[in-house]
Amino acid sequence: MERQVQSLDLEKRLVEDQADKLDSHIDKMKIELGQHEAGLATLRQHVKETEQLQNEARASLNLNEVEITELRSANETLQKAATDREAERTQQALELEEARADSAYKGKELLGSQGRGKLSAQLVQTFSNNETPAPG
């Protein structure tokens, strides 16, 4: 009977040792699980931050596209205005050149008639004074 008690006592110690080992293993697993959960929480936070950055990048891209569209429109407006100004300058230059040409023609015409009148008056005066006409 004493042998049975010793045997049961030995068996009890083996079971307790195994239970202690299992408790230790469970504690280690709980620690690892906690670490994995912390790592998972960190990963989830990184995912949220990445999604936030991605949303901000998309919003910035949309704003950039709007700005590009506005700049293109402004550029087209400026090009049209420049073209219109150039056309207006060309028209003004043509009108000025036409006015100059017209003025030059009228000036020559006027000089021609004034020159003949002067020459006639000079000839009359010269012959009245019995002088020979001066050239020119």
Side-chain angles (χ1 to χ4, degrees), residues 115-126:
R116 283 191 300 272
K118 259 184 163 179
L119 184 59
S120 297
Q122 193 178 15
L123 285 173
V124 167
Q125 187 179 19
T126 302

Side-chain angles (χ1 to χ4, degrees), residues 61-75:
L61 180 62
N62 289 339
L63 286 176
N64 287 343
E65 288 175 355
V66 168
E67 287 179 26
I68 287 169
T69 301
E70 289 173 352
L71 288 172
R72 283 183 179 150
S73 175
N75 188 33

Side-chain angles (χ1 to χ4, degrees), residues 70-124:
E70 289 173 352
L71 288 172
R72 283 183 179 150
S73 175
N75 188 33
E76 288 173 5
T77 301
L78 288 173
Q79 286 179 345
K80 185 179 180 326
T83 301
D84 291 349
R85 278 195 307 272
E86 187 61 31
E88 185 177 328
R89 284 185 193 138
T90 301
Q91 182 63 33
Q92 288 173 349
L94 287 173
E95 289 172 0
L96 182 60
E97 191 59 34
E98 185 178 308
R100 283 182 185 160
D102 191 41
S103 176
Y105 177 76
K106 286 181 180 177
K108 284 181 183 179
E109 202 175 69
L110 184 60
L111 279 177
S113 67
Q114 283 179 351
R116 283 191 300 272
K118 259 184 163 179
L119 184 59
S120 297
Q122 193 178 15
L123 285 173
V124 167

Side-chain angles (χ1 to χ4, degrees), residues 22-77:
L22 285 173
D23 284 342
S24 176
H25 185 67
I26 288 171
D27 290 342
K28 285 180 186 177
M29 296 309 278
K30 284 181 181 179
I31 291 171
E32 282 184 34
L33 179 61
Q35 290 172 342
H36 288 299
E37 286 175 343
L40 184 59
T42 301
L43 286 175
R44 284 185 179 138
Q45 183 62 33
H46 286 309
V47 167
K48 284 181 184 178
E49 291 170 0
T50 302
E51 287 173 345
Q52 179 65 28
L53 289 172
Q54 189 177 25
N55 289 337
E56 290 172 8
R58 282 188 182 127
S60 177
L61 180 62
N62 289 339
L63 286 176
N64 287 343
E65 288 175 355
V66 168
E67 287 179 26
I68 287 169
T69 301
E70 289 173 352
L71 288 172
R72 283 183 179 150
S73 175
N75 188 33
E76 288 173 5
T77 301

